[in-house]
Structures are given as C-alpha cells and as structure tokens.
Amino acid sequence: MQETTTEIRFASPKRYIEESLIFKKSQLGEVGFLSGNEACAYGALAAGLSFYAGYPITPSTEIAEILSYRMPALGRVFIQMEDEIASMGAIIGASLTGRKSMTATSGPGFSLMQENLGYACIAEVPCVVVNVQRGGPSTGSPTSPAQGDLMQARWGTHGDHPIIALYPASVQEAFELTMVAFNLAEKYRTPVVFLMDEVIGHMREKVVFPKEGQIPVLERRKPPKGLERFQPFAEDGGLVPPMAAFGEGYRYHVTGLHHDPAGYPTLRPDEINRWFERVFAKIEQNLDEILLYREEDLEDAETVVVSCGITARSARAAARSARARGQKVGTLTLQTIWPFPEKVLRQLGSRVRRILVPELNRGQLILEIQRCVRNPEVEIRGINRLDGGVITPAQILEKLEERSWPGNSH
Amino acid sequence: MARKLPLIHRYLRKDKKFPTVWCPGCGIGVVLGSLIRAIHNSGLSKDDVVLVSGIGCTGRMPVYVDFNTLHTTHGRALTFASGVRLANPKLKVITVMGDGDAIAIGGNHFIHACRRNIEITAIVVNNFIYGMTGGQFSPTTPTGDISATSPFGNIAQSVDICELARDCGASYVARSTIYHVNEMEKQIARAVTTSGFSVVEVLSTCYSRYGKLNQKGSPREMFRALKDQTVPIAKADGDGRISRGVFIDRAEAAYSDTYQTIVAKAREHDGGEPLPLLNPTRPGGTP
C-alpha cells in the first residue's frame, strides 16, 4: 500500500502514540502502559505546556518527538532549535509572553543550558528543564543510566541561586511530578529542573492517569489590570511578584543584571541583598509544599536506605527482603532533591543507627546526607556504581547484611 | 514659550535614571534615535514592541525605552526573541546587538534565525570592537587593526555581516551608518514592516576604544570617515569602500506564519480533541 507524504512524515511519533496511548480527556483516570519519557511529555501537556523548544539528544529525544506531533494539533508551539543554549533562551522568551514552557535534554545539553538557566533564576522566569541523565562527563555513556548530575542541577549555573529539582522513581511519578514541576515553576516564578534516570525515561510501566482535578493545574499570578505603576520585581503582597506577560500593556524591563524592584539594573548593595533574601525566602518559606518524599517502614527502622530515581526501586525491594529476614530496615525516597530536605534528614539522623545511600555516581547524595545528619552515632555508608549498570536489590541487601556495620557483628 | 521636546522623549522611560552608559563620541545613541523614529513612523503601538538585546554596549539600549524590553545573555538575544515571537505572533520583536554579540558568540543563532526566516528584526550595531570589555578585537575588526588583545595587529579576516545574512536566508538585508541617519531610519522602518527575518547593519563608532587604539582621530573625524569610506551599492566600484544600501528585499515564507500551516496539517491528521487543562485552579492552590 502506498503511504501518503503525511503518513511518512509522522511515521515515528505516530508509532509512539498508537503503541502507548492516545491521551484524551476520556482516558483520564484510566490506565496506560508507557515509558517515562512519554509520561513526562503527556504530564507536561496535562499541566498546560504550551511552548516547547529543544535539541535532539539521547536519551531524552522521545519527549521532543512526541511533542512535535502533539503540540501543533493542540495549537501550541514546538520548535527544534540550533542547540541547547538556544532552546533554553527560547523557552524563557516564550514564558515571558505568558506561556508554560519546557525543554528536555541530557547531560551535554544540560551543561549548555546552564548559562540561560541562570538567567531564568535571576529574572525569575517560570520554566521546566528536563534532564534525562546519562553517563558522563562529556559524551560519556549516552544510552546508560547514571545519577551524576545531582550537584550540577543544584550548582551548574554560576552564582548563588535557589533552584527546585524533582526526581521521579517510576513512570507514574514521571507523569505526576512533571505536572507538579509546572505548578511549582508557575507558583514560585522559578525554573524547575526535572531529573530523570535513563532507565525511568525508557522503561515501560503501568500508569494510572490522575482523574480530573486530582492534581490541580496552577497558573502564575498576574498583576491586576490598570495599575498606575507596575513594579515587576516588587514585594507587593508576597515574596513572589506577580508576573505580567509581554504584550498585555505593562511595558517593563527584564535583565540578567542585578536589578531593583522596577527591573532596572542596580549596583546598590541594599537592593542586591534584598533580592537575594527574597528569592531564597520564597523557596525556604514554602518547603512544606515544595519538599516531596516517600517513606516506607520508617516507624521502627534502625537502618534507612536513602535514594532517588531508579535506585530507590532497588532500595525498596532490598529493604523488604531485609525486613523479611528480621532486620529493621526502611527507605526514604527523595522526590524533591533540591532544595534538599535538610530537616527530614536531620530528624531521621536522630532516631536511626545506620543510613545507606546507594547512588549511580561517586557519592553526591551522600555528601548532603553527611552534611545534614549531625548525630555522630549514625553510621553513613554508600554504594556507588558508575559503569552504566543499575544497583541491584541483591547488592543493597548484601551491603545491609555486612558484618562491619556497628551492631551487625553479633 | 516652552520648547517642544523631540519625538524620542515620548519613548524614553521617565523612571529610568539617565545619563546612558555610553561614552562621549559613541554612535549607539544615534541608532537608538533612528530606531525610535522608525518604530513611531511605522505606527506600532508601544505595547506590541518587544526590544531584545544581548550583552555589550548595544545591549544596554533597551533599558532606556518604553517598550517591553528584554536584556538577555551574551549572544543569545535571537534565541529569546524567537521564543517571544513564536509564543505571541502579534508582537513586533526587534533585537539590537553589537558585532561581537551578534556574530561571534551569537553567530550560530544569527545563522539559524536567518535560515528560519523568523519574523524578527535584527539591528546589528557594528563598531568593529568589543567596547564594553575594553576594546578587544571582534569578528568585524579589520585585518591588521590594533585592539586590546591584538596589540601587534588583528591577523584574522573580518566578516561581512550583510553577505552572511543574505546567504543564510534573511528576507531583508541592508547596511547604513550613523552618519547617514535618514537612510538608516528608512532601512529600519522597512525592516520592521518586513514579514520575515530582517537585518540592518549600522556601521558605528567606538571613539574611546577602537578609535584611540587605531589613531582614528576625534569622534567628529570618525563620523566623517563613515561618509568617506562607504558608498551606495549602485556606485560601488571596488575601490575598497564599504557598500551601503539594501542588499536584498524579498518575500519569502516566514517561520511563525508557516507554523500555522503545520498546525492545520497536524489537526487534520490527528483529528483528536484538544487536550484540556486538568481542572485549572486559581493561583495559590496546592501544587
């Protein structure tokens, strides 16, 4: 049978849609079987994504492919830019016109995005930056899982700045947390980094789509119309200034320089200080809402496995096995990785004896845990893997049962 | 009798502290004046104009004028501008960039904006030097010229911005100078009403860096040199003078217009109902 041009052009994305799901209103609350990258793309659409700019890179590319197919039909914008620097610039520009914006990439592209990610931080522009992590540094292992970008997500762009980074441990969470990422970005006027593991991005799992209203969709706060004078970065009625869209009548200035409440460049120490205080406070004063994590069997736990992403899946399996063998083991899975849940870890450190931190890097998460847990009685150990494989439940179980742990010798 | 203020005062920000950052003898203010008059004469509403810049002396232009203004990162003005234009096609998006900003660090974005023929006007103020950082050579610094980082002379070739823009697919490409204010103004006015990607290169002066390093004389002499060392395209005879005028003015399909045909095609192919927002709520709810 002869194919039409249109069918050829849409061949690849069409496959994704047909094999997984055609996401329509009627399917909300229903079940799908899809990959984490697909879940992220659909979660973004469900959250109101209306501008996507990106550059192809493994292992994130399916997100762009799906959106190149879905976005035009929804009257939303998809553009493939010349590189990741441009992609990041484009989503910031689009967000300033009022659109919910996103890009998706992996390690090398995430490195290129750091420049304009910093711009989104200083200009407080809501956007979502997906990083489906792969092995690094540099080109590294493009098709292998790694969790080496945790610190880059926090400190990748220069200068002090707050950031929010979310981290799904399942395809279900990839869908739901993508929606949350947009909500947090819009509500707090901040870029949100969405860290996925290659395994989460490419693994297929059952997803129960949230019912309508189950996960609310937030819109950014706008200034009231007809103000005599609009100060785009003033603390009027809260730490998060309302955001006017370009073209709606409030003509204001946006810059990557330190700026005063009117948006104009400033070198005044008091204004620069006030800006830092405000942007950190808007995150730090809302940790109850921003910090997401999942606890399992912590009530009586003497040992806790703390992890994120795909490693958390192995951790939970290992913890259950250990418990079945009589060890009091629980798990803490971090869904919000930045800001770091310092208080949660500090409290945990006051009541457990051992903390095990498996991660697909040389020890990034463990640094934060060592910083937060101030109880010298707690033994903190890591399991690290960097060779492109995942940490298995058996590896974690073996580590949990090592005789060298304090209290394990008997 | 009260003196009537020039037109540009209707476009300057009253709450912005003046004077400008620009040195005495700088040409950028002349370009800004022409840009304002061209926008005014084109009948554009201030609300619909978005002025986008990168980093450098030219990058400071937007802060002074009463439009939607966006001062971005070095070289990236066109990427932000592309996002703005695609996200809201009713906006008239104009970028102002210097030679280093547009062609060195932003060279790749410049090429691809031309190639897409996206509906943006790019004003490139070419003063042959990095002024703000203290006078280092740029991609347009003539071969042999002295700069803060070529104390023995610039050994690279300089690039012709207009040829680059034309070859990469821009709809409208023109060059003028700050000496030829009327000509520049006409070119900018035409550029902002062109549907595709339009480029106006304005040759300008950097007296305090480039001029001093290369013994180009007083600012007045540097202005005068822009007259003497340029020639209208029609009269160009290969004597080494730089051509001024319109290099190309063509009607080609522009990017965000064409995107609408993709929208139509996708809808026809898809046939699916638009994905609804899941229960939009008021701001301030729980994410």
Side-chain angles (χ1 to χ4, degrees):
Chain A
M1 198 184 84
Q2 203 185 349
E3 284 186 306
T4 67
T5 317
T6 312
E7 279 171 339
I8 292 164
R9 180 173 295 179
F10 289 119
S12 174
K14 190 162 176 269
R15 181 170 57 81
Y16 284 117
I17 303 299
E18 285 178 356
E19 286 182 4
S20 53
L21 130 132
I22 297 168
F23 191 73
K24 288 184 181 163
K25 194 177 178 181
S26 58
Q27 286 176 292
L28 296 177
E30 292 188 1
V31 171
F33 184 63
L34 60 165
S35 71
N37 282 349
E38 289 170 311
C40 176
Y42 291 121
L45 288 172
L49 169 70
S50 75
F51 187 98
Y52 180 93
Y55 185 82
I57 186 166
T58 304
S60 75
T61 309
E62 295 87 351
I63 295 171
E65 289 180 355
I66 291 165
L67 294 173
S68 74
Y69 176 79
R70 298 298 303 179
M71 296 282 274
L74 300 168
R76 307 178 192 180
V77 182
F78 170 91
I79 184 170
Q80 182 170 313
M81 295 299 286
E82 55 272 22
D83 57 30
E84 289 88 348
I85 300 169
S87 303
M88 194 64 218
I91 67 167
I92 294 170
S95 185
L96 285 165
T97 74
R99 286 189 186 248
K100 290 186 180 179
S101 303
M102 179 173 97
T103 186
T105 187
S106 185
F110 192 52
S111 292
L112 288 179
M113 286 177 183
Q114 297 304 329
E115 178 194 40
N116 285 337
L117 190 60
Y119 189 94
C121 289
I122 201 168
E124 298 174 79
V125 181
C127 55
V128 175
V129 179
V130 180
N131 174 9
V132 187
Q133 294 168 94
R134 61 193 237 183
S138 191
T139 313
S141 299
T143 55
S144 300
Q147 301 182 314
D149 303 350
L150 269 63
M151 286 296 169
Q152 189 189 20
R154 178 65 192 87
W155 298 113
T157 195
H158 59 276
D160 272 303
H161 59 279
I163 194 89
I164 295 175
L166 304 184
Y167 208 139
S170 66
V171 175
Q172 178 75 36
E173 286 183 4
F175 187 97
E176 293 178 3
L177 291 181
T178 300
M179 294 187 70
V180 173
F182 276 92
N183 286 344
L184 293 175
E186 297 292 323
K187 184 167 179 185
Y188 296 108
R189 279 194 70 169
T190 177
V192 174
V193 175
F194 197 71
L195 286 174
M196 284 211 286
D197 292 328
E198 183 277 339
V199 185
I200 303 289
H202 283 158
M203 176 171 61
R204 286 184 180 276
E205 287 189 288
K206 183 177 107 172
V207 173
V208 181
F209 295 108
K211 289 192 175 64
E212 209 168 335
Q214 201 174 324
I215 300 178
V217 171
L218 303 188
E219 307 297 329
R220 71 187 65 165
R221 194 159 68 95
K222 287 189 166 192
K225 286 192 165 90
L227 292 176
E228 184 88 353
R229 181 159 187 243
F230 170 58
Q231 293 229 328
F233 299 95
E235 270 174 69
D236 296 338
L239 295 165
V240 186
M243 192 169 170
F246 278 180
E248 286 182 353
Y250 288 122
R251 301 180 299 272
Y252 65 101
H253 188 61
V254 181
T255 177
L257 290 163
H258 283 136
H259 42 271
D260 63 20
Y264 299 138
T266 183
L267 288 171
R268 270 176 52 182
D270 61 329
E271 288 178 338
I272 295 171
N273 269 326
R274 191 54 216 148
W275 180 85
F276 274 110
E277 281 164 16
R278 179 174 63 73
V279 296
F280 276 94
K282 76 179 178 182
I283 302 298
E284 285 161 3
Q285 291 183 13
N286 291 288
L287 292 179
D288 285 350
E289 199 170 62
I290 295 168
L291 294 182
L292 305 167
Y293 49 89
R294 183 175 148 174
E295 299 170 329
E296 203 171 284
D297 295 331
L298 285 191
E299 299 76 22
D300 62 341
E302 292 176 351
T303 307
V304 179
V305 188
V306 184
S307 60
C308 54
I310 190 63
T311 312
R313 306 291 288 275
S314 295
R316 285 180 213 150
R320 284 171 205 154
S321 301
R323 198 165 266 276
R325 297 189 200 186
Q327 275 204 66
K328 288 180 176 170
V329 180
T331 58
L332 173 66
T333 305
L334 305 181
Q335 295 166 313
T336 303
I337 202 91
W338 305 115
F340 198 75
E342 294 178 17
K343 224 163 116 186
V344 177
L345 266 298
R346 199 169 305 139
Q347 284 165 356
L348 196 64
S350 68
R351 61 191 173 95
V352 303
R353 300 174 68 187
R354 308 172 203 94
I355 294 177
L356 180 61
V357 190
E359 49 186 326
L360 299 176
N361 55 47
R362 283 273 287 174
Q364 298 189 16
L365 189 55
I366 200 170
L367 289 177
E368 282 297 298
I369 294 169
Q370 285 163 339
R371 180 177 70 81
C372 298
V373 175
R374 294 172 187 168
N375 180 359
E377 305 291 308
V378 179
E379 176 86 1
I380 303 171
R381 293 184 184 182
I383 303 178
N384 308 97
R385 185 165 185 182
L386 297 96
D387 61 2
V390 296
I391 295 171
T392 62
Q395 269 179 290
I396 297 173
L397 195 57
E398 191 185 350
K399 189 85 175 177
L400 286 171
E401 292 178 344
E402 269 178 11
R403 296 176 68 86
S404 63
W405 284 96
N408 262 20
S409 50
H410 52 273
Chain B
M1 199 174 86
R3 192 167 63 93
K4 200 182 165 207
L5 284 172
L7 170 77
I8 60 165
H9 285 255
R10 285 154 61 180
Y11 288 83
L12 297 180
R13 281 188 162 136
K14 291 179 178 59
D15 57 345
K16 177 72 190 82
K17 299 174 210 87
F18 282 86
T20 67
V21 297
W22 302 312
C23 308
C26 176
I28 294 171
V30 180
V31 185
L32 183 56
S34 292
L35 176 62
I36 289 172
R37 287 187 294 274
I39 289 171
H40 179 81
N41 294 334
S42 306
L44 292 164
S45 148
K46 285 179 182 176
D47 287 345
D48 292 340
V49 174
V50 184
L51 192 61
V52 187
S53 71
I55 297 295
C57 300
T58 299
R60 293 303 183 96
M61 238 193 236
V63 73
Y64 303 111
V65 282
D66 188 17
F67 301 119
N68 305 284
T69 55
L70 181 54
H71 177 215
T72 73
T73 43
H74 196 18
R76 319 300 177 206
L78 286 169
T79 72
F80 287 68
S82 299
V84 170
R85 183 59 174 79
L86 276 168
N88 185 350
K90 127 179 139 74
L91 297 172
K92 174 57 65 180
V93 182
I94 301 167
T95 63
V96 283
M97 301 173 285
D99 40 297
D101 195 36
I103 304 302
I105 190 167
N108 196 34
H109 309 308
F110 186 81
I111 287 170
H112 289 278
C114 292
R115 178 180 66 80
R116 288 187 193 103
N117 200 27
I118 189 164
E119 298 90 330
I120 294 170
T121 295
I123 313 285
V124 184
V125 182
N126 180 2
N127 61 4
F128 308 99
I129 203 89
Y130 286 91
M132 185 161 274
T133 47
Q136 299 77 21
F137 67 87
S138 87
T140 59
T141 304
T143 311
D145 277 8
I146 305 298
S147 77
T149 46
S150 59
F152 307 107
N154 172 30
I155 56 174
Q157 299 175 63
S158 63
V159 68
D160 185 319
I161 296 171
C162 288
E163 276 182 19
L164 178 68
R166 183 186 54 196
D167 292 351
C168 292
S171 266
Y172 178 84
V173 179
R175 179 190 287 131
S176 189
T177 86
I178 53 160
Y179 186 91
H180 305 86
V181 173
N182 289 336
E183 181 188 73
M184 170 184 16
E185 213 171 291
K186 274 184 203 144
Q187 290 177 357
I188 296 174
R190 172 69 190 140
V192 298
T193 51
T194 299
S195 74
F197 190 65
S198 53
V199 177
V200 178
E201 179 191 358
V202 184
L203 304 184
S204 184
T205 54
C206 175
Y207 162 71
S208 56
R209 305 293 184 196
Y210 180 71
K212 283 181 179 172
L213 284 166
N214 290 284
Q215 284 94 46
K216 298 289 182 186
S218 69
R220 192 160 171 270
E221 285 168 305
M222 289 184 74
F223 273 51
R224 170 72 65 171
L226 290 172
K227 177 180 180 246
D228 297 339
Q229 290 165 17
T230 60
V231 60
I233 293 171
K235 293 181 186 165
D237 59 1
D239 62 356
R241 287 184 292 171
I242 301 170
S243 299
R244 293 192 330 265
V246 179
F247 292 89
I248 199 148
D249 188 351
R250 58 186 162 193
E252 293 285 340
Y255 194 88
S256 64
D257 271 356
T258 312
Y259 188 77
Q260 292 313 309
T261 66
I262 294 298
V263 168
K265 207 180 272 187
R267 282 190 171 143
E268 191 184 323
H269 183 268
D270 182 57
E273 67 195 82
L275 185 105
L277 292 178
L278 295 175
N279 183 29
T281 57
R282 288 189 318 278
T286 307

